[in-house]
Amino acid sequence: MKIIIARYFLLTLAMLAAPLVQVYAQQPNIVIIYADDMGYGDLQCQNDASKIPTPNLNRLASEGMRFTDAHSSSGICSPSRYALLTGTYHWRRQHGIVTSFGEPFFDESDVTLPEVLRNNGYKTASIGKWHLGWNWNFKNEPTGEVFQWNRMRKFYKPEDVDWSQPITGGPLDRGFDYYFGDGTINFPPYAWMENDGFVELPNAVMDVHNVGFDINEGEWEFRPGPKVEGWNPYKVLPTLTEKTVEYIKQQETDKPFFLYFALPSPHAPIIPNEEFIGKSEAGPYGDFVYQTDWVAGQVMKALKEKGLEENTIVIFTADNGPEKYAFERAEKYGHFSMGDFRGLKRDVWEGGHHVPFIIKWPSKIKAGTVSEEVISQVDIMATVAAITNTELPNNAAPDSYNLLPLLKGKKYNSPLREATVHNTFDNVWGLRKGQWLYLNKPSGEHTKMPDSFKKMRGFEDFETPALLFNMRKDAAQKNNVYGKHPDVIKEMETTLEKYRQQGYSVKP
């Protein structure tokens, strides 16, 4: 009897010591890691000539599915984030970003991914960059003024804002149970927010001409406004990483969760922490990408240690292409953040929205697979809803396609999407349909390409009223075939206009 009791005692101890593991019968956890201003060519696993080691993302790709033709909705920040979280093209709401102390990007009729998941029993959290607006309470008009970027800019000082009330309109009003972050690293207020309030209230003003710290590539790009005294931007990414790991460790194995981890990196300011300096051959930006890769690794490590790895879908992607500093970086270091694509952030050229996209789902997605299917980040919502058996209201995710058959290796009609709209600002529009890419203007450029870079890569300007490219043969967009396929041009113009005029896309 004593032996039986002793064995039972030892077995109990072993069970208590071992990490609990979620069972497959449970709904999978969903983790989205959303990088900021990261180019397709920054990942080593899809750019043999990359000067940046990305071992953790390489491993994620080897354990899941990597997409070679994935796109953000926009070539800039806020619109792409809105599109990902709603399954709706950004241009159905607005084209521009949310500015300092801007109002919410969302319409109250919008249905979000965290909202429908929460209704289906998920815990939901947003950690990191929000940049989708809040309903701020102001005491008066902005009283601050500073000369920046060749003009006088007015800004809110701490005393202009009513900090006593909860800040509504943010993550908690969009379906998230929990939020922690600094809003946007280069926008005020420079302070930590938790849920709908501040950990410490801003009590000083950011001096945009003397931030108080060194930077080794690019500019700070800070907007003037309130900050916490002693605010250190170098602590932002490490703090967000710690909070994310802490959140994962707090999760119970009997309840699924959705975590939207929106990184401030490698967006400017380019500020890798000291332990990551020199880890790449692409300068400070390369080191910052290396640190971003390390952060992704910390998330995956936390999931494994908590016993959640096998029942968690991890999606890694980025909001748009790399910033303008990529041109100089390419010439200086030989690292091409945009890969072989034309253009950068803000452009409707391919490099503005053709982004990294990796998804891992153990035992469901065959490890190490590569898909050439054209997909969009708006597809995440319909796909996750299908995976989790979450019902979507009739007005939800109008532009989102369910990628589940593709992910599971089942037969499906390709192309999966009837067409995909590319757009940043309201004047230039692109449409991808099968092999064809149509642009309604003679150029997709917004970020000026230096002549030296243009010559180095063999790019030339075009003079036709619009553009047409065969992306299977010419993903670099060097050979405009606008004059050779009038029937294709007409079809593309008609389809694009149909999408723009309707309130939603027409799915097959």
Side-chain angles (χ1 to χ4, degrees), residues 8-138:
Y8 178 79
F9 179 71
L10 290 173
L11 179 62
T12 303
L13 284 179
M15 292 175 64
L16 290 173
L20 294 175
V21 178
Q22 282 187 312
V23 296
Y24 289 107
Q26 290 176 285
Q27 296 280 55
N29 310 303
I30 314 290
V31 175
I32 297 177
I33 306 173
Y34 207 35
D36 199 350
D37 288 9
M38 177 180 278
Y40 183 90
D42 285 330
L43 268 65
Q44 198 176 39
C45 58
Q46 54 199 20
N47 179 6
D48 292 337
S50 173
K51 300 296 181 69
I52 308 171
T54 53
N56 294 290
L57 294 174
N58 294 349
R59 179 165 57 86
L60 185 68
S62 72
E63 295 173 346
M65 179 178 287
R66 179 172 63 87
F67 287 86
T68 63
D69 212 340
H71 301 265
S72 56
S73 179
S74 173
I76 53 177
C77 176
S78 304
S80 290
R81 294 163 195 275
Y82 167 84
L84 184 153
L85 291 173
T86 62
T88 307
Y89 283 129
H90 68 278
W91 44 268
R92 301 197 190 283
R93 287 285 174 260
Q94 69 182 57
H95 296 273
I97 63 171
V98 175
T99 56
S100 300
F101 286 105
E103 296 178 352
F105 198 114
F106 300 87
D107 184 88
E108 292 308 313
S109 64
D110 289 327
V111 177
T112 69
L113 177 57
E115 181 182 354
V116 296
L117 286 175
R118 185 169 65 180
N119 291 341
N120 196 25
Y122 275 73
K123 294 178 65 176
T124 58
S126 171
I127 297 178
K129 182 172 181 176
W130 179 240
H131 206 182
L132 287 167
W134 276 275
N135 295 315
W136 297 99
N137 302 305
F138 302 112

Side-chain angles (χ1 to χ4, degrees), residues 41 51 86 105 115 142-143 185 236 253 307 314 347 363 383 412 461 483 506:
K51 300 296 181 69
T86 62
F105 198 114
E115 181 182 354
T143 60
I185 190 170
V236 171
T253 56
V314 177
D347 293 343
S363 302
T383 304
Y412 65 93
D461 295 333
V506 177

Side-chain angles (χ1 to χ4, degrees), residues 45-299:
C45 58
Q46 54 199 20
N47 179 6
D48 292 337
S50 173
K51 300 296 181 69
I52 308 171
T54 53
N56 294 290
L57 294 174
N58 294 349
R59 179 165 57 86
L60 185 68
S62 72
E63 295 173 346
M65 179 178 287
R66 179 172 63 87
F67 287 86
T68 63
D69 212 340
H71 301 265
S72 56
S73 179
S74 173
I76 53 177
C77 176
S78 304
S80 290
R81 294 163 195 275
Y82 167 84
L84 184 153
L85 291 173
T86 62
T88 307
Y89 283 129
H90 68 278
W91 44 268
R92 301 197 190 283
R93 287 285 174 260
Q94 69 182 57
H95 296 273
I97 63 171
V98 175
T99 56
S100 300
F101 286 105
E103 296 178 352
F105 198 114
F106 300 87
D107 184 88
E108 292 308 313
S109 64
D110 289 327
V111 177
T112 69
L113 177 57
E115 181 182 354
V116 296
L117 286 175
R118 185 169 65 180
N119 291 341
N120 196 25
Y122 275 73
K123 294 178 65 176
T124 58
S126 171
I127 297 178
K129 182 172 181 176
W130 179 240
H131 206 182
L132 287 167
W134 276 275
N135 295 315
W136 297 99
N137 302 305
F138 302 112
K139 296 178 179 178
N140 45 255
E141 293 297 312
T143 60
E145 197 171 43
V146 65
F147 189 78
Q148 184 185 32
W149 297 324
N150 300 315
R151 65 184 179 91
M152 293 300 297
R153 298 169 59 92
K154 287 187 173 295
F155 66 90
Y156 289 102
K157 291 184 175 181
E159 57 267 29
D160 299 332
V161 183
D162 181 0
W163 308 103
S164 64
Q165 301 297 320
I167 311 299
T168 64
L172 267 61
D173 289 321
R174 310 302 168 194
F176 288 107
D177 299 320
Y178 176 76
Y179 173 72
F180 181 88
D182 63 328
T184 305
I185 190 170
N186 58 325
F187 280 33
Y190 301 95
W192 291 117
M193 294 187 70
E194 189 162 29
N195 294 325
D196 55 3
F198 287 88
V199 175
E200 181 181 352
L201 291 179
N203 55 358
V205 171
M206 175 62 72
D207 183 347
V208 296
H209 299 302
N210 183 18
V211 173
F213 300 90
D214 294 330
I215 190 170
N216 294 316
E217 182 180 341
E219 302 175 4
W220 281 105
E221 299 191 9
F222 281 171
R223 276 65 167 176
K227 72 168 186 176
V228 169
E229 187 69 56
W231 180 256
N232 184 352
Y234 278 94
K235 292 184 177 180
V236 171
L237 184 55
T239 302
L240 294 175
T241 305
E242 292 170 5
K243 276 288 183 179
T244 299
V245 169
E246 178 185 316
Y247 178 83
I248 292 171
K249 290 181 177 180
Q250 290 172 348
Q251 299 314 298
E252 302 298 333
T253 56
D254 61 350
K255 187 175 179 67
F257 67 91
F258 168 57
L259 172 60
Y260 170 62
F261 181 24
L263 306 175
S265 63
H267 186 290
I270 299 168
I271 48 173
N273 289 102
E274 185 176 357
E275 59 268 36
F276 300 98
I277 294 175
K279 295 295 186 179
S280 78
E281 297 177 8
Y285 174 85
D287 300 340
F288 209 22
V289 171
Y290 181 86
Q291 182 173 357
T292 302
D293 174 86
W294 178 85
V295 169
Q298 293 301 294
V299 174

Side-chain angles (χ1 to χ4, degrees), residues 282-356:
Y285 174 85
D287 300 340
F288 209 22
V289 171
Y290 181 86
Q291 182 173 357
T292 302
D293 174 86
W294 178 85
V295 169
Q298 293 301 294
V299 174
M300 293 185 282
K301 179 182 177 183
L303 290 169
K304 185 174 184 178
E305 291 179 348
K306 184 65 178 179
L308 302 171
E309 179 184 27
E310 294 301 314
N311 195 41
T312 299
I313 297 171
V314 177
I315 300 173
F316 179 90
T317 187
D319 63 344
N320 47 249
E323 183 56 277
K324 59 187 177 183
Y325 308 115
F327 287 134
E328 181 181 352
R329 184 182 315 121
E331 297 191 48
K332 184 175 181 179
Y333 298 103
H335 175 79
F336 295 84
S337 289
M338 71 298 289
D340 294 328
F341 303 127
R342 185 171 190 155
L344 299 179
K345 177 180 179 177
R346 302 178 187 86
D347 293 343
V348 184
W349 290 131
E350 198 73 1
H353 50 80
H354 195 134
V355 292

